[in-house]
């Protein structure tokens, strides 16, 4: 019942927006940690039975479980923290050369740049988005494909984001498809 109000509050720039975004992020983190701990238990039950068959006490089994799961949960917590902070600022750039037999000579050396999951409005907007557009244009693509999740649910960023994306240039055009966030 509270989800529509949280989504609405999440979009606001004030204190309510900060609280709503933190609340939803904490909920997601809690859910993921709970799933990992549940999976750890499900995987550990057969191990516990095996340890019990070899005479290890219940206290020893639970001690082993804690020793094994603490680094797993800590690693997941670190990955979630990284994903919600510094990880969102990372842009992966991969260069792939695709050899195609019987390719027409006019298409040899065609440079295709593909961009995906920008999630504009979730930290990538304004000057950061302008720098990303400049970085893509510096690649001098022949064809540019934007493959979904350009925006992140918040309609306030659509106009400015679209204006900045309009600065993308490619010799044969810029093409886009929408994703589930758009």
């Amino acid at each position: 019942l509270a989800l529509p109000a949280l989504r609405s509050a999440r979009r606001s720039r004030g204190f309510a927006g900060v609280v709503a975004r933190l609340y939803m992020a904490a909920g997601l983190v809690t859910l993921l940690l709970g799933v990992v701990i549940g999976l750890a238990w499900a995987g550990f039950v057969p191990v516990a039975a095996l340890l019990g068959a070899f005479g290890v006490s219940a206290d020893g089994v639970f001690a082993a479980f804690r020793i094994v799961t603490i680094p797993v949960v800590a690693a997941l917590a670190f990955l979630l923290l990284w994903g919600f902070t510094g990880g969102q600022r990372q842009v992966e750039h991969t260069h792939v050369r695709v050899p195609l037999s019987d390719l027409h000579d006019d298409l040899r050396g065609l440079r295709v740049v593909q961009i995906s999951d920008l999630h504009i409005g979730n930290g990538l907007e304004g000057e950061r988005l302008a720098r990303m557009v400049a970085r893509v244009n510096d690649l001098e693509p022949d064809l540019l494909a934007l493959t979904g999740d350009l925006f992140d649910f918040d309609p306030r960023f659509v106009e400015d984001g679209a204006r900045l994306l309009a600065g993308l240039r490619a010799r044969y055009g810029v093409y886009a498809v929408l994703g589930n966030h758009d």
Side-chain angles (χ1 to χ4, degrees):
L1 294 173
L3 196 54
L6 281 171
R7 282 187 181 155
S8 177
R10 183 178 152 233
R11 293 182 180 131
S12 69
R13 291 186 185 262
F15 180 72
V18 170
V19 170
R21 285 189 294 278
L22 287 174
Y23 179 80
M24 291 180 84
L28 177 64
V29 167
T30 302
L31 177 68
L32 290 174
L33 284 173
V35 167
V36 167
I37 291 170
L39 289 173
W41 269 107
F44 195 72
V45 166
V47 174
L50 185 63
L51 290 173
F54 284 107
V56 177
S57 70
D59 289 339
V61 169
F62 285 121
F65 176 76
R66 282 190 295 273
I67 290 169
V68 169
T69 56
I70 286 173
V72 171
V73 171
L76 178 63
F78 171 77
L79 290 173
L80 288 168
L81 181 63
W82 172 250
F84 280 111
T85 58
Q88 289 186 337
R89 292 175 175 28
Q90 301 298 313
V91 175
E92 184 177 331
H93 174 189
T94 1
H95 179 91
V96 178
R97 191 172 290 278
V98 181
L100 298 171
S101 59
D102 300 326
L103 185 67
H104 192 279
D105 287 340
D106 290 346
L107 297 176
R108 294 208 186 276
L110 183 73
R111 186 182 308 243
V112 178
V113 172
Q114 183 258 339
I115 305 170
S116 183
D117 295 283
L118 298 176
H119 294 276
I120 297 168
N122 192 17
L124 178 64
E125 60 265 338
E127 186 55 38
R128 284 189 63 217
L129 179 58
R131 283 193 308 271
M132 194 271 317
V133 166
R135 183 175 168 191
V136 170
N137 285 339
D138 287 345
L139 296 172
E140 298 178 354
D142 294 313
L143 181 69
L144 182 56
L146 288 85
T147 54
D149 290 349
L150 306 176
F151 295 92
D152 196 47
F153 295 122
D154 194 339
R156 290 178 302 144
F157 296 98
V158 171
E159 189 174 328
D160 288 338
R163 188 175 301 114
L164 288 169
L165 289 178
L168 290 168
R169 300 286 178 250
R171 182 169 35 160
Y172 298 122
V174 177
Y175 299 90
V177 295
L178 300 178
N180 65 312
H181 284 252
D182 301 312

